[in-house]
Amino acid sequence: MRLLPLVGTQGKFTVRLLAMTLIGQAVVLSFFALVVRAQALAEGRDDAGRLLWVGLGLAALAVVAGGLMRGPLGLPLGWLVQVLTWVSAVLVPAMIGVAVVFTGLWVLLLVQGVKADELTARRASEAAATAD
């Protein structure tokens, strides 16, 4: 079994799948930032604003990582978003659910995207060989 790639550029199909995952994750992270702020305000905590900005910063990082997915920085930033989503569960235990769903989706789409890109490349080379 091959290990999951942590760095490097990926194929076209993998890039699209991972970028869509990160954009979806950014939307959910934005909503969670709003919920965490409201919860902190309801509890009378002083860190409500900080929690909001941390959550929105993580959502922004997910958008940036999705945009950079075509280059060599996209994949490491995507992994960083996954790790930081897990770390955010320290502040908000409900983030464990978000982390499980999106990290699972991230890994699944990374594996399947690489397979799809390899299949596409193999079929293109076969088509080129038969055309000669």
Side-chain angles (χ1 to χ4, degrees), residues 2 12 15 17 20 26 28 31 36 38 48 54-55 59 63 74-75 78 83 95 100 107 111 113 115 117 121 124 128:
R2 196 173 44 209
K12 189 179 197 180
V15 165
L17 289 174
M20 287 175 25
V28 173
F31 287 133
V36 167
V54 167
V63 170
L75 195 59
V83 169
M95 286 299 287
V100 166
V107 170
V111 169
K115 286 181 183 178
D117 285 330

Side-chain angles (χ1 to χ4, degrees), residues 59-80:
L61 180 62
V63 170
V64 169
L68 293 174
M69 195 53 64
R70 287 186 214 160
L73 288 177
L75 195 59
L77 282 178
W79 280 111
L80 180 62

Side-chain angles (χ1 to χ4, degrees), residues 4-10 72 75-76 79:
L4 290 173
L6 300 177
V7 295
T9 57
Q10 299 301 309
L75 195 59
W79 280 111

Side-chain angles (χ1 to χ4, degrees), residues 9-125:
T9 57
Q10 299 301 309
K12 189 179 197 180
F13 196 69
T14 306
V15 165
R16 289 178 180 170
L17 289 174
L18 296 179
M20 287 175 25
T21 302
L22 287 169
I23 298 303
Q25 188 170 0
V27 171
V28 173
L29 290 171
S30 299
F31 287 133
F32 256 94
L34 293 171
V35 168
V36 167
R37 177 184 175 268
Q39 184 180 13
L41 285 173
E43 294 173 355
R45 294 173 41 190
D46 294 332
D47 61 347
R50 182 175 52 97
L51 291 172
L52 174 68
W53 287 111
V54 167
L56 291 178
L58 182 55
L61 180 62
V63 170
V64 169
L68 293 174
M69 195 53 64
R70 287 186 214 160
L73 288 177
L75 195 59
L77 282 178
W79 280 111
L80 180 62
V81 169
Q82 302 312 314
V83 169
L84 290 177
T85 302
W86 279 98
V87 170
S88 69
V90 172
L91 297 172
V92 184
M95 286 299 287
I96 292 173
V98 174
V100 166
V101 168
F102 280 102
T103 303
L105 195 59
W106 174 264
V107 170
L108 174 71
L109 294 180
L110 182 57
V111 169
Q112 295 301 320
V114 168
K115 286 181 183 178
D117 285 330
E118 289 172 353
L119 180 63
T120 302
R122 187 171 59 236
R123 287 190 178 168
S125 66

